[in-house]
Amino acid sequence: MQYENARSVVAEWLDRDGFPELLERRMPSLEPPPRGSVLALVGPRRSGKTFLMYQMSEEVDGSGSSLLVDMEDYRLVSMEPGDIELLLRAHRELTGSDPAHLFLDEVQALPDWSHVLRTLCNRRKSSIIVSGSNSALLEREISTELRGRYAARRVYPLSFAEFLGFRGCGYDRLSPHTERSGELAGALRDYLAVGGFPEVVLARSALRRRELLTSYFKTVFLSDLLDRYEIHATGVMQKLMEHLLTSFAAPFSISRFTGRINAAGTPASKKTVSAFLGYLEEVFFTATTQICTPSAHRRRLNPRKAYLVDHGFAVVPHRYSENLGSLLENAVGIELLRSGQRPCYFHGRGECDFVFGEPGDHVEALQVCWALDDGNRERELRGLLSAAEQTGAEKLTVVTADQRETVTERGRKIGVVPAWDWLLQGAPKG
């Protein structure tokens, strides 16, 4: 890389006319790490990691005290590991000092980046904040190189609370108990239809939202996956992603799926499908939960339940069918992950969507359905109570679109709460 390119990248950052217009994320406070340490922001592309870095930089920035570099800038495509020195040299030339806070966006684009971070940490001149869109790559490489000198924060698409903020819909602790509850119920339906990618939420039309989500699916996820993992069985990956777009919030059997696509003329092995599902989790296209059991063998043998990291992707298939129950369960599942929980699902004498918490301490069982009515009440409560009996869950909840009541069944109290209220309260922290 030529020094003039490095100088121009740094000069553009220093000469910026303020920061882009920022809509603040409602996330736990993010502070830069101490000098010599790394904070990694890890999440799907287009989920707002870059703007979160802008937000952090705005909070700490003094006269030239921060430097934010997009490692995918076309001027840096020929960058070698040692070329990071050119960027720091340019910053010293233009400001007289090293940056106190160094932000490296999409750091995995920098060759041998983990060794570069270790070297920068050893100098202890800057606090370092990096972002990346591959969970396994960043967490594996950073933990190996830095050995305790880093913290990772997962950045998901917008939560329901953040969605309301981006749409200019205010609420407070009294809102659920006033006529505003109807507005919140309507906003929930919008959230389920739109998803949480910031640019999609701010789009002015349904057509533009669909165009953006289709583009994300085809370029940001599918093409990125094929290149990053050097995938040659492109047909298998395409069919797997298309299946997940229409069958999310449901058990996914690797054996059954493999047999189906083989019968349809797309050859694949269970090993390949399992590996591809892992890749989709690593790049935050999907997230899975396992069956609740202490047996690792049983967890491996049983299907996983698969969720879209952003439920907005459900509009991508040409034959879109609005399944509100699945969309609601998907939103609840991702909210649990966002809060740090690692839920499992229960399958026994009945089924329960989520069980989470610390065994022996505080375990909760949670069922999700669009409406609790005469047609499903017995089934939904039976699954919840069976899960509680087998896992020791203390708190039992049914999340619905817009119902609120307390049910007593077999001597157990079960809270039925509107999803908009549950999502705004935030899932219990893991």
Side-chain angles (χ1 to χ4, degrees):
M1 182 180 72
Q2 296 181 348
Y3 178 63
E4 281 307 310
N5 283 346
R7 195 175 188 277
S8 122
V9 168
V10 174
E12 282 182 11
W13 169 256
L14 295 172
D15 193 44
R16 66 194 181 280
D17 183 17
F19 288 84
E21 183 179 353
L22 301 175
L23 292 168
E24 187 173 354
R25 298 289 302 263
R26 290 175 176 264
M27 296 178 64
S29 177
L30 280 176
E31 295 183 358
R35 294 193 182 201
S37 299
V38 171
L39 172 65
L41 305 178
V42 190
R45 290 183 183 270
R46 316 306 299 174
S47 61
K49 299 188 301 295
T50 301
F51 272 71
L52 190 56
M53 295 174 92
Y54 279 130
Q55 184 176 312
M56 293 177 66
S57 182
E58 184 178 34
E59 293 170 356
V60 302
D61 200 33
S63 179
S65 69
S66 72
L67 171 62
L68 192 154
V69 181
D70 175 8
M71 301 312 301
E72 295 184 327
D73 189 307
Y74 75 93
R75 290 166 293 185
L76 307 180
V77 291
S78 61
M79 194 170 179
E80 298 294 333
D83 290 341
I84 195 76
E85 301 297 339
L86 299 181
L87 293 165
L88 298 175
R89 173 185 158 194
H91 192 275
R92 285 192 295 271
E93 177 189 339
L94 296 169
T95 69
S97 66
D98 284 297
H101 308 283
L102 178 60
F103 296 83
L104 302 177
D105 196 13
E106 295 298 346
V107 70
Q108 72 272 353
L110 173 64
D112 206 17
W113 58 269
S114 59
H115 289 121
V116 173
L117 291 186
R118 184 177 66 182
T119 300
L120 294 175
C121 283
N122 289 340
R123 293 177 182 174
R124 298 186 179 276
K125 291 184 178 181
S126 306
S127 73
I128 302 167
I129 302 92
V130 303
S131 77
S133 50
N134 184 303
S135 62
L137 175 67
L138 262 76
E139 292 170 4
R140 180 179 63 245
E141 296 292 336
I142 287 181
S143 62
T144 299
E145 292 297 332
L146 298 181
R147 293 179 176 84
R149 286 187 290 170
Y150 88 103
R153 177 68 65 83
R154 298 212 168 191
V155 180
Y156 289 90
L158 303 180
S159 66
F160 181 53
E162 291 174 317
F163 175 87
L164 292 178
F166 271 51
R167 286 292 182 88
C169 302
Y171 69 93
D172 55 36
R173 61 185 181 84
L174 297 179
S175 298
H177 310 289
T178 68
E179 67 273 7
R180 293 220 51 216
S181 62
E183 297 176 26
L184 293 173
L188 173 66
R189 291 190 72 122
D190 287 344
Y191 178 59
L192 296 180
V194 171
F197 283 114
E199 189 178 7
V200 177
V201 171
L202 295 175
R204 295 183 178 274
S205 71
L207 176 61
R208 178 57 180 158
R209 290 192 289 270
R210 185 176 186 135
E211 288 174 345
L212 285 169
L213 286 163
T214 302
S215 172
Y216 292 175
F217 174 76
K218 290 182 177 178
T219 60
V220 176
F221 283 95
L222 182 56
S223 297
D224 200 26
L225 271 165
L226 300 182
D227 293 341
R228 182 178 295 173
Y229 293 100
E230 299 181 351
I231 291 172
H232 300 294
T234 57
V236 177
M237 179 61 83
Q238 179 90 30
K239 288 187 179 299
L240 176 58
M241 294 180 74
E242 289 174 350
H243 173 84
L244 294 172
L245 289 179
T246 56
S247 302
F248 57 92
F252 176 77
S253 166
I254 291 173
S255 297
R256 196 170 297 123
F257 174 79
T258 304
R260 185 162 60 249
I261 64 172
N262 278 326
T266 302
S269 67
K270 289 187 288 184
K271 182 178 179 180
T272 296
V273 172
S274 178
F276 284 7
L277 183 63
Y279 297 160
L280 290 172
E281 290 195 80
E282 288 177 4
V283 300
F284 300 98
F285 179 76
T286 192
T288 64
T289 61
Q290 295 180 310
I291 193 169
C292 294
T293 174
S295 167
H297 181 65
R298 280 196 63 205
R299 289 197 297 271
R300 285 194 301 270
L301 289 181
N302 277 274
R304 295 185 174 209
K305 288 189 77 172
Y307 297 93
L308 299 173
V309 168
D310 188 84
H311 52 270
F313 278 126
V315 304
V316 171
H318 293 299
R319 291 175 294 176
Y320 171 62
S321 175
E322 186 181 57
N323 186 333
L324 292 173
S326 294
L327 287 168
L328 185 61
E329 182 182 336
N330 200 104
V332 169
I334 297 303
E335 185 63 32
L336 286 168
L337 294 174
R338 182 185 286 110
S339 68
Q341 297 288 347
R342 290 294 176 264
C344 56
Y345 73 91
F346 175 79
H347 182 82
R349 294 193 307 276
E351 299 179 2
C352 181
D353 297 320
F354 302 105
V355 177
F356 55 94
E358 294 298 325
D361 180 17
H362 184 75
V363 178
E364 295 190 29
L366 190 150
Q367 197 77 289
V368 182
C369 59
W370 187 252
L372 195 63
D373 55 35
D374 292 341
N376 65 8
R377 180 177 292 261
E378 192 276 332
R379 180 184 71 248
E380 300 290 356
L381 298 185
R382 181 179 70 248
L384 193 62
L385 290 165
S386 295
E389 180 182 330
Q390 293 296 316
T391 66
E394 303 168 15
K395 184 176 180 180
L396 309 182
T397 305
V398 180
V399 174
T400 66
D402 197 29
Q403 292 170 264
R404 190 191 300 275
E405 62 178 302
T406 300
V407 177
T408 300
E409 192 81 12
R410 298 188 211 166
R412 297 293 303 270
K413 286 189 176 181
I414 301 170
V416 181
V417 299
W420 48 264
D421 195 8
W422 186 89
L423 290 168
L424 289 178
Q425 291 176 24
K429 299 297 181 286

